Amino acid sequence: MVAMTSVRLFTALLLSILAGMQRYEIADFGGPEVLRLAEAPLPSVGTGQVRVKVRFAGLNFADLMQRRGVFPGLGDLPFTPGMEVVGTVDAVGAGVANLQEGDRVVGRLELGGYAEYAVAEAAEVRPVAEGVGDPETLALVGTSGLTAYAQTTVLGEPDGRAVFLSAAAGGVGSILTQLLKAQGWRVLAGVSSESKAQSVIALGADHAVRYDREGWENELVELAGPRGLAGAFDSVGGAMYRGAFAALGDHGQMIVFGAASGELVGLPPELVFPAVIRGQAVRGNGLVAFLAQDPNALRDATAAMFSAHRQGAIPTLGLQVYDFEDAPRAHADVEARATMGKVVFKVG
């Protein structure tokens, strides 16, 4: 009996050593072609961590910035990108009491999501609400959905003025459009094509502003009306930032949560002094800072988003689903502005 037990233990250990998975690795910074599938051992689980068997992984613009080598605080090469996954708990580390093997969960990561298995801090892992699909969960309470939620906490009650948001047909923008409308704002949605314009109108936006057309800045000022915008939410920067800022009204706020153009600020001198006189403000409102302000922020924001979806405030969760093997193409499509809604990979 002892010998048989020893054989079983040795067999289990051997299988653990031989067990592996596929994951994407980036060994050099560059274009989508640097994303390469590779074989790797299963990641070990440390204290306070869980390992998730990934069913879907989400794509965020930060992944593209990491791939290019322009994301702040990025570690050494090679690395596996991916900040969010949904799947089932596969292994539980010491000190984890609120999760167990088999639980269906969504998890936030610093890196490592583009893989068949991913390790996350248990504090960053939350149960998935019943009745919500895996890819829909990533749209709703992944990085994009929670970033959208964070923006809705800034302006306060609607005051009859409009708000503007850039990239309104994207993963964050499509959710934020619906949340702002549910709050009672008049929403001016910035988009780069006619198909995206139709998409945001279907989401409830009052007007679609085609910033791929010359003169969009003047159109935005006209749509904002004599009182100007109460706020503008921007994740693009550069010309987009300057055009939206010029449409702000008295005490209007420019809320920045990204800089896809690579240029965050750059106000021309003629806008600086009027901004001082009119009490306008610029503030950053990224997800990391939002969650860091309260230890319960992640839990509360997740619950609020599931509740908003259940109550009909976010009826549409736009998705583009790619096979895991097509991650490089997904990156290329996002960079070409050829996607709408949340982009996810089907892994398992």
Side-chain angles (χ1 to χ4, degrees):
M1 180 64 71
V2 174
M4 183 63 69
T5 301
S6 298
V7 170
R8 288 173 178 170
L9 289 173
F10 176 77
T11 301
L13 177 62
L14 180 62
L15 289 174
S16 176
I17 294 172
L18 294 176
M21 66 173 188
Q22 282 197 314
R23 70 181 183 190
Y24 276 97
E25 292 182 354
I26 294 177
D28 295 291
F29 298 125
E33 70 280 357
V34 303
L35 281 165
R36 300 290 180 87
L37 272 175
E39 293 290 331
L42 291 184
S44 59
V45 184
T47 300
Q49 297 179 328
V50 296
R51 188 172 64 205
V52 178
K53 187 178 189 304
V54 179
R55 287 182 52 79
F56 287 84
L59 187 156
N60 294 285
F61 198 85
D63 301 349
L64 277 63
M65 296 175 66
Q66 290 175 347
R67 192 201 72 223
R68 298 171 188 163
V70 297
F71 194 80
L74 187 63
D76 297 332
L77 294 169
F79 68 92
T80 296
M83 296 181 168
E84 59 190 16
V85 298
V86 63
T88 55
V89 174
D90 169 73
V92 179
V96 178
N98 61 326
L99 296 166
Q100 58 185 357
E101 292 184 25
D103 285 351
R104 183 167 169 249
V105 295
V106 57
R108 293 183 67 246
L109 316 165
E110 290 188 7
L111 291 170
Y114 291 18
E116 292 180 317
Y117 291 83
V119 171
E121 299 297 324
E124 301 290 327
V125 174
R126 296 137 286 155
V128 175
E130 290 187 15
V132 183
D134 289 339
E136 289 79 9
T137 293
L138 288 178
L140 191 62
V141 298
T143 300
S144 298
L146 293 180
T147 298
Y149 175 81
Q151 309 319 306
T152 67
T153 66
V154 175
L155 292 181
E157 295 295 322
D159 61 3
R161 294 187 288 176
V163 294
F164 171 78
L165 62 148
S166 62
V172 177
S174 59
I175 299 294
L176 183 53
T177 295
Q178 296 174 81
L179 288 174
L180 290 170
K181 285 302 298 180
Q183 285 187 330
W185 290 100
R186 185 163 65 93
V187 176
L188 310 179
V191 294
S192 60
S193 70
E194 181 57 30
S195 61
K196 292 182 178 181
Q198 295 176 10
S199 172
V200 295
I201 293 299
L203 292 174
D206 295 276
H207 295 278
V209 179
R210 291 278 303 277
Y211 50 68
D212 59 323
R213 293 176 174 174
E214 187 175 350
W216 71 269
E217 304 95 328
N218 296 329
E219 180 188 6
L220 179 58
V221 169
E222 183 177 346
L223 288 171
R227 296 179 62 199
L229 298 172
F233 301 90
D234 182 42
S235 61
V236 177
M240 180 68 60
Y241 175 96
R242 293 187 289 272
F245 193 97
L248 289 179
D250 291 348
H251 303 286
Q253 293 192 55
M254 189 77 196
I255 301 113
V256 178
F257 60 94
S261 69
E263 180 189 355
L264 182 57
V265 190
L267 283 180
E270 62 268 20
L271 290 181
V272 175
F273 289 110
V276 174
I277 294 170
R278 302 180 69 184
Q280 296 166 338
V282 178
R283 64 170 294 176
N285 196 39
L287 181 60
V288 173
F290 173 77
L291 294 178
Q293 66 186 343
D294 181 349
N296 297 319
L298 178 60
R299 180 199 65 190
D300 294 345
T302 300
M305 289 296 283
F306 277 131
S307 176
H309 179 55
R310 186 167 54 249
Q311 294 174 10
I314 315 172
T316 303
L317 298 175
L319 292 161
Q320 285 202 225
V321 181
Y322 290 76
D323 290 335
F324 191 45
E325 295 77 11
D326 290 332
R329 180 166 65 87
H331 273 234
D333 288 349
V334 171
E335 288 182 320
R337 297 182 178 181
T339 62
M340 288 191 287
K342 181 66 179 178
V343 176
V344 300
F345 310 122
K346 187 179 187 308
V347 180

